[in-house]
Amino acid sequence: MKESASASDPDAKSAMLEDFHSHLLKSRRIVALLGAGLSASSGLPTFRGAGGLWRTHDATSIATPQAFAADPAFVWQFYSYRRHMALNAKPNAAHYALAQLAKSTTKFLALSQNVDGLSQRAHHPPSKLKLLHGNLFDLKCSDAKCGYREPNNTTDPVVPILAIPQSGQDPTATATATEPNTNPLIRGLDISNPNHTLPSIPTASLPHCPQCRKSLLRPGVVWFGESLPTDVLADVDAFFSADEPIDLMLVVGTSSAVYPAAGYTQVARNKGARVAVVNPDPGSGRALDGKRDWFFCGDAAEILPEMLRPLVGDVRGVIDEKGDAD
């Protein structure tokens, strides 16, 4: 593995970046695998690894059909919190760098495991962004036979009773603050804090399907135990199975622990790709080829814009003070 970009030797860091830039400028087909670490600088938690809990629950145990069937109010509170957080976050420089790369490179595809909508808000071209795990802001009927879907619902809260409590006197809540909320993304009590009592929400007050009028709506994300969307997989497979080689694969902010996304790196290698990993965890570079690959250790929002600068320029020039692209 090439020396990490977090190394103390500035000459080594510069040489590695120069080597990467040389290959980047020669690359014609590029694929990127994006994980939750891409949005970490925007203030959104990854819910994986150390600290991956929501209240006292492993967040991955909440994201299941079984959890929704057993306690839909609790699952909706978790997702309403995530929707609220994502809507109050802003895309960071890494989101904009990838969006600019997609605009400037004809044969580029980003495979995103993120559901937060930040890549879309950075104006990443939809045809070059494949959402492997769905979208927090898409809603669908929990009864698959009904088939109702509602794309891009950004109402916050999705129904009034899921509003983030503002105080212990909120008439819809029983939450009591025990310490001040310091998270700028949360306007109200931080209900992820287990010291705050969650409001009691009757199932009848949760969002219901307007089509069948009997089943609950659920977030349009892929839960554990569910299949990835077939149309998305078909588009991804078409990119990988094309006769042309793949020159470069970017792996940004993900441990590549969840399949099938985790297998795409090897598929890209089999098509000739060199791999560049961007991750704050030093262990994320262990599986890289020491002669061909690069490992850039650190914050994607700081590192990725510099990595992609030869093709995208200075992305700060396309971000206004509100965090939106011109």
Side-chain angles (χ1 to χ4, degrees), residues 230-253:
T230 55
D231 57 337
V232 172
L233 290 180
D235 290 342
V236 174
D237 289 344
F239 184 90
F240 278 104
S241 61
D243 291 337
E244 301 170 272
I246 296 174
D247 301 301
L248 174 64
M249 179 161 191
L250 305 171
V251 180
V252 183

Side-chain angles (χ1 to χ4, degrees), residues 215-292:
S215 298
L216 292 174
L217 290 176
R218 53 161 282 186
V221 297
V222 178
W223 282 335
F224 288 92
E226 295 182 329
S227 299
L228 271 61
T230 55
D231 57 337
V232 172
L233 290 180
D235 290 342
V236 174
D237 289 344
F239 184 90
F240 278 104
S241 61
D243 291 337
E244 301 170 272
I246 296 174
D247 301 301
L248 174 64
M249 179 161 191
L250 305 171
V251 180
V252 183
T254 175
S255 61
S256 297
V258 178
Y259 280 83
Y264 287 137
T265 301
Q266 188 56 50
V267 175
R269 277 205 180 97
N270 293 343
K271 299 281 290 185
R274 296 176 69 178
V275 178
V277 171
V278 181
N279 201 297
D281 178 7
S284 298
R286 290 173 185 161
L288 295 179
D289 184 322
K291 296 181 180 180
R292 289 176 50 83

Side-chain angles (χ1 to χ4, degrees), residues 103-147:
K103 294 172 185 176
S104 63
T105 305
T106 303
K107 298 178 180 180
F108 171 76
L109 191 66
L111 321 178
S112 180
Q113 301 171 92
N114 295 338
V115 298
D116 53 40
L118 293 182
S119 290
Q120 297 93 306
R121 286 168 54 194
H123 303 298
H124 194 121
S127 64
K128 296 181 180 180
L129 179 67
K130 300 302 172 182
L131 302 178
L132 299 175
H133 295 170
N135 188 336
L136 279 174
F137 303 103
D138 291 346
L139 303 177
K140 65 180 184 178
C141 184
S142 56
D143 183 353
K145 295 179 182 178
C146 171

Side-chain angles (χ1 to χ4, degrees), residues 139-142 146-150 153 206-218:
L139 303 177
K140 65 180 184 178
C141 184
S142 56
C146 171
Y148 175 80
R149 299 189 71 92
E150 181 182 342
N153 179 314
L206 294 173
H208 279 68
C209 177
Q211 181 167 288
C212 69
R213 298 184 180 278
K214 60 180 181 179
S215 298
L216 292 174
L217 290 176
R218 53 161 282 186

